[in-house]
Amino acid sequence: MTQPPGPPHPAAAAQLTVLTGPSGVGKGTLVRELLARHPELWLSVSATTRAPREGEVEGEHYFFLTPERFARQVEEGGFLEWAAFAGNRYGTPRAAVEEMLAAGRPVLLEIEVEGARQVRRSFPAGRQIFVAPPSFAELERRIRGRGTDAEEAIARRLARAREELAAAAEFDAVLVNDDLTAAGRELERLLGLIPKAPAEGG
Ligand code: ADP
Ligand code: 5GP
């Protein structure tokens, strides 16, 4: 059965936070740490047509779909948003997000800029945070240092990153991910979460 299009109740939309920014900036790292400290948050698991990286688990990191399955889900209105990125397609499955919002659970989406724009249109009350690198050179170092992408994929991601960085001012807040601990605290502040005190004696 297809989902009806359109945004859910405005009160629920306020609970939706989009984290966006270029590939390699550290969105995934920031989100992992945030979830470890605030398990009440719910992170949407995206669908993608790209191949799994080493260690990536179906249903945990992504739902890995064939291009045909992805296209069918697009036709059925099964994505809240979707976009092409560096030769693949990525999308946010609609049903789970709507269920979590209806249940009053704060929802996080970690997606690229084009998808964030689509979510802004359908959830204008949601928060949108752009994660920026301290410099382009540092972004390149992080993408390469991650060691997960082939040279061709790195080149595509860097080209896309230049366009994405130019869009930073569209978002509600820009979070510079320089020092990871400081950026994590700033993210908590932006989300209105009470920072958890660091462990004593460390
Ligand atoms: P994204 O999810 O935005 O593509 P990742 O979270 O995979 O980015 O981070 C890319 C690389 O940068 C990883 O190797 C990660 O460990 C590293 N990284 C993330 N944040 C920082 C930071 N503040 N300082 C230095 N390296 C970082
Ligand atoms: P990666 O291949 O590095 O996992 O992801 C590439 C880019 O796609 C990242 O910027 C990531 O945030 C973005 N992305 C992941 N899931 C989604 C999604 O569901 N929708 C959109 N629009 N982008 C996504």
Side-chain angles (χ1 to χ4, degrees), residues 10-33:
Q15 298 269 21
L16 182 80
T17 302
V18 170
L19 214 60
T20 190
S23 171
V25 75
K27 300 182 299 295
T29 305
L30 283 165
V31 162
R32 264 198 312 280
E33 299 205 345

Side-chain angles (χ1 to χ4, degrees), residues 14 28 36 39 45 55 64 69 75 89 96 98-100 105 108 111 117 121 133-134 139 148 170-171 179:
V45 178
F64 295 99
R69 267 269 335 262
E75 278 167 26
R89 287 172 163 198
E98 292 187 344
E99 273 165 34
M100 291 298 157
R105 190 114 182 246
L108 288 176
I111 61 179
R117 289 184 175 127
R121 287 194 286 272
L139 179 68
T148 51
E170 285 176 24
F171 296 91
D179 176 74

Side-chain angles (χ1 to χ4, degrees), residues 27 46 50 53 62 81 90-92 110-112 157:
K27 300 182 299 295
S46 296
R50 88 154 158 70
R53 291 176 180 145
Y62 279 106
E81 60 74 34
Y90 296 78
T92 302
E110 193 244 281
I111 61 179
E112 53 70 67
R157 280 159 196 266

